[in-house]
Amino acid sequence: MAKGTVLVTGASSGIGRASALLLSENGFRVFAAVRKPDDGARLQADGGQGIHPVIMDVTDGGSIQAAAAHVSEQLAGERLDGLVNIAGIGLAAPLEYVAQDELRHMFDVNVFGQLAVTQAFLPMLHRSRGRIVNMSSVGAHIAIPFGGVLNACKAAFGTLSDTLRMELRPFGIRVVSVEPAAINTPAIEKTLGHVEDTIRRLPPEGADRYGDMLRTFNRRALPRELNGSPPDIVARAVLHALSSPRPRIRYVVGKLSRPMTLLPRILPDSVLDDLRMRVFGLPANTSDDHQRATGDH
């Protein structure tokens, strides 16, 4: 695809911001979707004339439609060549105590909102035979303790993306998935940086049951994520997906990305379960296993 015009969601920070700036640096006109005007102003100050902030909340249908109308008006008959769906939020918590409204909000942002944005901008992409780049995760392929909700969202969005790739192929619209692993972004602090707050929100029995496990998990997971690859490595994959004449179907990027996608294919589930528990410092054996091993009844 020749350098053209793209919309990038989740552009206020992290991977979305890095992608918007890199695309602008490489000659793309970028409509950068943010929720707050101040975020748009800062992004435009750093990215220059190639950045055009657009206010959009992916959980609000009216906001999405208004953003689509604004972009269409600004295009003034020109093409929208690409859509990059990056907006997302994280959560680390035991599934036993995830509130239903929190669960719905996670799916609203990470799954339903992404499809709503895609549907709103597809009429423009049909006219241009453009490209869609969807941000999934290696977590779509491997579950980890306390990451069930986020990984379920990424798995659902990854499946939707694969389906869109096949359904839109006859119309000349390419759909690409990007699957990052450990990436150091501000979202890490929001998701993993406040473990004691997470424990305090649990009911007393939940804090007693999971508190120490969450602390141990956090001590292992947080440094690993903070030592992850910079967002620019994902942004480069987005750039390649939009500009290469032969983009890949799937880009797996970032530290630990290869083992996290390879191990589920080659290891039995029982072995993989033990490995994951040990990696995060969690009990690999059940209480029944411990009793049988020690003879304590």
Side-chain angles (χ1 to χ4, degrees):
M1 187 177 81
K3 300 298 186 293
T5 300
V6 299
L7 173 78
V8 178
T9 72
S12 61
S13 65
I15 293 170
R17 177 182 174 85
S19 298
L21 292 174
L22 184 64
L23 290 169
S24 177
E25 290 169 9
N26 281 269
F28 283 87
R29 181 187 184 189
V30 180
F31 287 102
V34 297
R35 291 190 302 119
K36 301 175 182 178
D38 288 348
D39 291 336
R42 283 192 291 270
L43 185 61
Q44 191 171 39
D46 292 338
Q49 295 182 347
I51 300 288
H52 304 270
V54 177
I55 302 301
M56 183 168 66
D57 180 346
V58 301
T59 67
D60 183 334
S63 174
I64 294 170
Q65 293 300 323
H70 173 75
V71 169
S72 180
E73 180 182 358
Q74 293 298 307
L75 288 173
E78 297 182 5
R79 306 189 318 175
L80 179 69
D81 300 287
L83 167 64
V84 187
N85 285 306
I86 297 178
I89 57 174
L91 175 69
L95 286 176
E96 184 173 359
Y97 296 104
V98 173
Q100 289 295 302
D101 58 349
E102 193 168 31
L103 180 64
R104 291 188 184 95
H105 182 61
M106 286 287 294
F107 273 85
D108 278 343
V109 175
N110 295 327
V111 184
F112 308 143
Q114 311 299 318
L115 184 57
V117 170
T118 302
Q119 290 171 337
F121 285 88
L122 262 172
M124 300 180 218
L125 295 170
H126 273 291
R127 290 193 290 272
S128 65
R129 296 167 67 90
R131 295 185 184 179
I132 300 172
V133 180
N134 289 328
M135 196 62 54
S136 183
S137 167
V138 295
H141 307 288
I142 182 168
I144 63 170
F146 308 124
V149 176
L150 178 58
N151 286 2
C153 289
K154 291 301 184 180
F157 187 43
T159 299
L160 291 176
S161 185
D162 289 343
T163 304
L164 278 170
R165 184 179 70 249
M166 293 183 286
E167 291 178 350
L168 296 176
R169 179 176 176 176
F171 309 110
I173 299 175
R174 292 178 183 261
V175 180
V176 174
S177 294
V178 179
E179 298 180 347
I183 306 295
N184 186 355
T185 73
I188 294 171
E189 183 64 23
K190 296 177 183 177
T191 304
L192 296 173
H194 306 281
V195 65
E196 294 301 329
D197 290 343
T198 300
I199 295 169
R200 277 193 293 271
R201 287 195 296 270
L202 297 175
E205 71 275 12
D208 182 63
R209 186 170 292 154
Y210 290 107
D212 288 343
M213 291 174 64
L214 280 164
R215 292 183 184 97
T216 301
F217 170 83
N218 191 75
R219 285 195 298 270
R220 297 287 184 92
L222 182 57
R224 185 175 289 111
E225 294 297 317
L226 291 175
N227 289 322
S229 302
D232 288 348
I233 195 170
V234 189
R236 289 197 292 272
V238 171
L239 174 63
H240 189 273
L242 288 171
S243 57
S244 171
R246 297 177 64 88
R248 303 173 199 166
I249 287 176
R250 200 176 315 278
Y251 293 78
V252 180
V253 296
K255 288 183 180 178
L256 305 176
S257 59
R258 292 300 174 185
M260 289 186 72
T261 53
L262 180 62
L263 289 177
R265 301 177 188 173
I266 62 176
L267 292 181
D269 287 340
S270 58
V271 175
L272 188 58
D273 282 356
D274 287 345
L275 176 61
R276 283 176 284 193
M277 295 296 278
R278 294 181 189 280
V279 163
F280 292 109
L282 304 179
N285 297 323
T286 67
S287 58
D288 289 342
D289 292 335
H290 177 73
Q291 288 178 356
R292 284 193 294 269
T294 61
D296 182 15
H297 297 288

